[in-house]
């Protein structure tokens, strides 16, 4: 079987993708498959068309590999791929939307509020915050700080974030509540 192995990419999780992609490549070759290891770049479409794979194995992590971008490209090219389709990826990468879907289907999830960038920066919705600095990258990296200080780690993290975030209330200790944006 001809397998296009997509790895690397531009996300903060590039290193993880390269490691997992390397292991997948070894396994594919050991099983006798023909594998072309491809990093995301401007030549991806031409490489896929030239190789003409039977399937694409997505070993990408974070944005592009998990948000439906690569899945949409592969579907447009008519190349079957591993993992979920575009719509499922988009629903899962949008934490607020995913939480609404969880609630609608009876899956417990902490209470939350979705804040827009304007409500945080311009309207004072929060002055001290804990932020999931890599919310758009699909993993958790918490940063704390004062939003009124433009040099604080939280203010710096917000500059690189998408235009809206969620705040979850976490009950980590009885009587103590932590809020994360």
């Amino acid at each position: 079987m001809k397998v296009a192995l997509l790895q690397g990419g531009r996300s903060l999780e590039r290193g993880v993708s390269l490691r997992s992609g390397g292991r997948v490549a070894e396994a594919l070759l050991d099983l006798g498959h023909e594998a072309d290891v491809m990093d995301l770049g401007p030549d991806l479409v031409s490489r896929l068309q030239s190789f003409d794979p039977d399937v694409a194995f997505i070993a990408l992590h974070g944005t592009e590999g998990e948000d439906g971008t690569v899945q949409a490209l592969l579907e447009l090219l008519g190349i079957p791929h591993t993992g979920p389709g575009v719509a499922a990826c988009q629903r899962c990468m949008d934490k607020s939307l995913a939480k609404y879907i969880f609630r609608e289907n009876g899956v417990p999830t902490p209470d939350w509020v979705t804040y827009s960038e304007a409500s945080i920066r311009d309207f004072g919705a929060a002055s001290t915050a804990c932020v999931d600095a890599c919310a758009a990258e699909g993993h958790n990296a918490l940063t704390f700080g004062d939003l009124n200080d433009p040099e604080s780690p939280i203010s710096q993290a917000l500059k690189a974030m998408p235009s809206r975030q969620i705040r979850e209330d976490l009950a980590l200790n009885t009587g103590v509540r932590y809020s994360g944006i």
Side-chain angles (χ1 to χ4, degrees):
M1 179 176 284
K2 291 174 68 173
V3 181
L5 173 57
L6 306 182
Q7 67 171 18
R10 300 176 294 184
S11 85
L12 296 175
E13 297 184 64
R14 176 179 171 75
V16 174
S17 175
L18 292 172
R19 285 191 301 279
S20 58
R23 290 191 177 113
V24 170
E26 287 178 30
L28 289 170
L29 294 173
D30 287 348
L31 292 169
H33 298 290
E34 182 182 350
D36 188 348
V37 178
M38 301 181 188
D39 200 339
L40 293 190
D43 64 341
L44 181 62
V45 170
S46 62
R47 288 191 66 193
L48 285 165
Q49 290 172 329
S50 174
F51 184 59
D52 191 27
D54 298 310
V55 67
F57 189 105
I58 302 172
L60 296 160
H61 297 268
T63 308
E64 297 169 344
E66 296 178 33
D67 69 356
T69 300
V70 167
Q71 292 80 357
L73 173 66
L74 293 168
E75 290 176 15
L76 179 68
L77 295 172
I79 300 172
H81 59 83
T82 58
V86 176
C89 289
Q90 290 173 338
R91 287 190 293 259
C92 290
M93 284 296 283
D94 183 326
K95 290 183 178 184
S96 184
L97 178 59
K99 289 173 75 62
Y100 281 111
I101 293 169
F102 294 160
R103 282 270 170 91
E104 287 176 359
N105 290 283
V107 178
T109 185
D111 289 336
W112 79 99
V113 174
T114 303
Y115 288 99
S116 69
E117 179 181 9
S119 69
I120 294 171
R121 290 195 177 131
D122 302 335
F123 304 133
S127 60
T128 303
C130 162
V131 67
D132 177 347
C134 301
E137 294 293 329
H139 62 83
N140 296 318
L142 299 179
T143 302
F144 295 87
D146 182 352
L147 290 171
N148 295 317
D149 176 3
E151 301 304 316
S152 73
I154 191 92
S155 295
Q156 296 300 313
L158 282 171
K159 288 178 185 175
M161 297 179 109
S163 61
R164 64 188 181 93
Q165 295 299 312
I166 64 170
R167 188 201 85 212
E168 285 184 304
D169 290 327
L170 307 172
L172 301 176
N173 190 354
T174 305
V176 178
R177 295 193 69 81
Y178 303 85
S179 287
I181 293 179

